[in-house]
Amino acid sequence: MTALGTTWDVAVVGAGPAGAMAAWAAASAGARVVLLERSTLPRYKTCGGGITGTSLRSLPPGLRLPARDTITEVTFAHDGRRERTRRFAEPLLCMVLRDELDAALVEAAVQAGAVLRQETLVRHVEQSADGARLRTDGEDVLARTVVGADGSASRIGKHVGVVCDQVDLGLEVEVAAGARAEQWKGRVHLDWGPLPGSYGWVFPKGDALTVGVIAARGRPEETRAYLAAYLRRLGLDSAEVLRDSGHLTRCRTPGSPLRRDNVLVAGDAAGLLEPWTREGISFALRSGRLAGEAAARLAAGAPGPAYEEAVEAELGVEMAAGRRCLRLFERRPGLVHAALSRTARGADGFARISRGETTLARAFLHRGVGPAVGLLSR
């Protein structure tokens, strides 16, 4: 294949939240950016679609979030038992459909100057001292720097050498809300599941409900049985199924590479997500911004903070805290449920983290919290 005539400053592979943010950040810094997407937008993506306060503050300035609902109530359950609803004065989360969120982010990147090329599948990366050649099914793309944001099965991540030590299976159905829409408006349901580290969720999206479960990979039949039982308990097993999907989430091993010379990875392609809840949108937005800024600097030959150091400082500490919470949750889910659903301090902490007012990492700095979590995780 021949290459397109332009040598771009930055080529971004994947137009999800991480890729769109990388393209927006690099273009906003003055780089010539091409954003490569294998599909045609908008396209469906398996995702709960919960937008935390941290995610809201990470969006490009002026972007109007296509929110389907705003959450002020949470119903907690422990494998269908001990259900309790907590109500909050201030919103905790917003709910979006990923195709609408991704389209809004891509539009922001295009308005900043990025060029979008759809139906472009990158199959291989070749690096040189001057940049990189991206092999596609059509014309090759030349760029001084590359940001890989092509999802959890990333070709770019494999090229960089990303290693993941936590892989989870998420199963999800979208069902028609029908007459139940008002019942679920403004409320999410979280169920701490029967498998170690598993949980389920119901996220309202107006006329649809996203229902899902996640558990460690390796027990697919039990995970499917959990989803079926969860739907039955909620009375949603007979609801019209709009979509039925599954995906693997991968969480990077601490110290895993994030860059190979002038090729960087962000979001799911880098294994960046919170290990306990497997929340990835805020990590995608933030790592995408950092990658786009770093790629623009690399293309211009300008000095600046190393991408790897910036990710570790902003996201690595949160991932480490999430791992500690996951270990506790795997061993004592009933204790976690009681703390969040029955105690004012636990509920307040959940709300503040959801709103982005604090983080798990900062919570561990409070006197006695870290040692207690470590002791209870044994």
Side-chain angles (χ1 to χ4, degrees), residues 20-314:
M21 277 298 295
W24 171 82
S28 296
R32 292 177 302 156
V33 180
V34 62
L35 176 59
L36 309 174
E37 167 57 37
R38 65 181 296 172
S39 304
T40 300
L41 300 173
R43 43 89 177 103
Y44 176 75
K45 176 70 167 66
T46 303
C47 179
I51 302 297
T52 65
T54 299
S55 293
L56 285 173
R57 285 190 286 276
S58 301
L59 296 172
L63 184 143
R64 183 176 180 181
L65 186 73
R68 290 297 187 107
D69 204 344
T70 300
I71 304 306
T72 56
E73 296 184 17
V74 182
T75 298
F76 296 99
H78 183 198
D79 197 17
R81 305 182 304 276
R82 297 192 286 277
E83 194 172 88
R84 182 164 185 175
T85 298
R86 286 277 187 175
R87 296 174 177 83
F88 301 89
E90 298 295 328
L92 304 180
L93 304 163
C94 291
M95 294 291 131
V96 300
L97 295 174
R98 270 292 303 277
D99 55 352
E100 295 178 349
L101 172 65
D102 292 3
L105 289 167
V106 168
E107 178 60 25
V110 170
Q111 289 182 357
V115 174
L116 173 65
R117 297 193 186 279
Q118 303 181 73
E119 298 183 359
T120 303
L121 175 61
V122 175
R123 294 192 175 277
H124 185 64
V125 184
E126 295 176 1
Q127 288 186 247
S128 67
D130 297 328
R133 177 187 292 264
L134 300 177
R135 300 286 187 181
T136 78
D137 288 339
E139 300 287 345
D140 293 349
V141 176
L142 303 178
R144 293 183 175 84
T145 60
V146 173
V147 176
D150 47 338
S152 61
S154 169
R155 284 185 169 90
I156 311 299
K158 183 177 181 180
H159 173 81
V160 169
V162 175
V163 178
C164 296
D165 60 0
Q166 178 184 327
V167 183
D168 297 289
L169 171 63
L171 301 176
E172 190 171 271
V173 294
E174 283 191 8
V175 301
R180 305 175 182 86
E182 193 62 29
Q183 168 194 347
W184 285 101
K185 185 177 180 180
R187 179 172 69 98
V188 300
H189 192 284
L190 297 176
D191 179 78
W192 315 122
L195 304 173
S198 68
Y199 76 98
W201 62 89
V202 180
F203 287 173
K205 311 285 178 63
D207 56 0
L209 302 173
T210 300
V211 186
V213 301
I214 195 163
R217 182 180 65 171
R219 302 167 77 170
E221 295 302 325
E222 292 170 272
T223 306
R224 280 192 283 270
Y226 175 32
L227 177 58
Y230 189 38
L231 286 163
R232 284 195 303 272
R233 287 199 299 262
L234 295 168
L236 297 173
D237 53 321
S238 60
E240 178 190 358
V241 175
L242 305 175
R243 287 191 174 93
D244 187 344
S245 62
H247 70 290
L248 295 176
T249 64
R250 294 178 170 89
C251 188
R252 72 188 285 263
T253 302
S256 174
L258 294 167
R259 187 179 76 151
R260 180 174 172 181
D261 298 324
N262 54 355
V263 177
L264 298 74
V265 283
D268 286 345
L272 295 170
L273 71 159
E274 199 274 282
W276 174 29
T277 63
R278 291 79 156 185
E279 189 277 321
I281 293 178
S282 74
F283 284 76
L285 293 170
R286 290 178 288 171
S287 64
R289 172 181 53 81
L290 292 171
E293 292 169 350
R297 290 194 301 270
L298 285 170
Y307 173 61
E308 303 94 312
E309 294 175 2
V311 169
E312 292 294 351
E314 185 167 342

Side-chain angles (χ1 to χ4, degrees), residues 329-344:
F329 179 57
E330 289 173 333
R331 289 162 174 76
R332 299 176 181 268
L335 178 65
V336 172
H337 172 66
L340 295 178
S341 66
R342 301 286 174 179
T343 71

